């Protein structure tokens, strides 16, 4: 493999990462992957002496770094509002985000068995919900959704701590979506016989 081929492969790798970054639902992941892709592509541009292209990639790196800094330094102040599953605002939230919710919960709908719903807010913004059926100290989760901008697991951590503080001890749910299953595993759910279970502990 000659040097020219290696340089071209580097260019393709950078381009692929930039494209992949645009598929990320998390803004943080988007900026991180895009930054890496831009850095690789900038190196490729320098190798082929395309300095305007290299300069553009360097500018994008700076923009991404500034964006990441702003995202990570924002103090996220969450609060939880308990709602009835039939609440009009909850239905509005579900309808507004229906196209994204169905990606993770293909059969998502609030069934008649659901008896609790919790809305997570960050200051004035509604950022996530959990809807399910509560029996004693167990919550069978039907929908556990967070809007893309807040998918860094902080909403889930805050919400699960809140639920533990309210007396719940176990969360159970099912999933057929790989992305959602990855989230459940990251949040400490254990898969057994097709059911994901998480034990909650009050702080």
């Amino acid at each position: 493999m000659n040097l020219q081929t290696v340089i071209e492969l580097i260019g393709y790798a950078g381009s692929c990462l930039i494209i992949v970054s645009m598929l990320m639902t998390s803004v943080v992941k988007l900026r991180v992957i895009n930054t890496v892709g831009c850095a690789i592509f900038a190196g490729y541009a320098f190798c082929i002496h395309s300095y305007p292209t290299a300069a553009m990639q360097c500018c994008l790196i700076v923009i991404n770094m500034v964006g990441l800094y702003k995202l990570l330094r924002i103090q996220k102040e969450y609060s939880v509002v308990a709602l009835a599953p039939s609440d009009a605002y909850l239905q509005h939230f579900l309808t507004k985000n229906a196209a994204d919710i169905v990606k993770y919960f293909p059969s998502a709908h609030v069934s008649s068995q659901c008896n609790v719903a919790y809305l997570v807010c960050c200051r004035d913004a509604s950022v996530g919900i959990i809807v399910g059926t509560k029996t004693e100290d167990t919550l069978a989760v039907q929908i556990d959704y967070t809007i893309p901008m807040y998918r860094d697991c902080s909403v889930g951590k805050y919400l699960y701590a809140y639920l533990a503080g309210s007396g719940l001890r176990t969360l159970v749910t099912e999933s057929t979506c790989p992305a959602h299953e990855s989230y459940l595993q990251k949040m400490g759910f254990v898969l057994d016989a097709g059911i994901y279970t998480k034990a909650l502990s009050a702080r």
Side-chain angles (χ1 to χ4, degrees):
M1 186 180 294
N2 58 40
L3 181 60
Q4 184 60 37
T5 302
V6 172
I7 291 173
E8 288 183 1
L9 288 174
I10 291 173
Y12 284 124
S15 299
C16 287
L17 281 176
I18 292 171
I19 292 170
V20 168
S21 72
M22 296 301 159
L23 302 176
M24 297 294 104
T25 55
S26 167
V27 178
V28 173
K29 288 182 180 179
L30 185 154
R31 289 200 177 275
V32 170
I33 296 174
N34 193 271
T35 298
V36 174
C38 287
I40 293 173
F41 200 77
Y44 165 75
F46 276 117
C47 288
I48 64 172
H49 307 293
S50 179
Y51 300 117
T53 302
M56 180 183 71
Q57 298 303 316
C58 289
C59 288
L60 290 174
I61 291 171
V62 172
I63 291 170
N64 279 328
M65 296 303 291
V66 171
L68 275 171
Y69 174 75
K70 289 181 178 179
L71 282 171
L72 296 177
R73 73 185 293 267
I74 293 174
Q75 187 67 32
K76 294 177 179 176
E77 299 176 358
Y78 295 122
S79 59
V80 177
V81 180
L83 301 173
S86 59
D87 186 272
Y89 185 78
L90 176 65
Q91 298 305 317
H92 166 73
F93 182 89
L94 292 171
T95 301
K96 180 181 177 181
N97 296 284
D100 193 40
I101 291 174
V102 76
K103 296 177 185 177
Y104 305 95
F105 305 91
S107 58
H109 68 283
V110 179
S111 69
S112 58
Q113 285 77 32
C114 291
N115 56 15
V116 293
Y118 300 92
L119 176 72
V120 183
C121 301
C122 184
R123 297 181 181 176
D124 296 329
S126 300
V127 300
I129 55 144
I130 189 167
V131 183
T133 305
K134 179 181 177 182
T135 54
E136 298 182 356
D137 62 355
T138 299
L139 176 61
V141 179
Q142 187 165 23
I143 301 174
D144 183 2
Y145 172 79
T146 303
I147 64 175
M149 188 175 293
Y150 288 82
R151 285 184 193 153
D152 58 359
C153 295
S154 61
V155 171
K157 290 176 181 177
Y158 182 89
L159 179 57
Y160 298 161
Y162 171 88
L163 294 176
S166 69
L168 283 172
R169 292 294 172 263
T170 307
L171 299 179
V172 295
T173 190
E174 297 180 51
S175 180
T176 58
C177 172
H180 186 230
E181 289 179 316
S182 176
Y183 165 78
L184 292 173
Q185 291 165 6
K186 189 180 298 184
M187 295 301 292
F189 283 78
V190 177
L191 180 62
D192 183 25
I195 303 295
Y196 283 95
T197 304
K198 177 178 174 63
L200 300 177
S201 57
R203 292 181 179 179

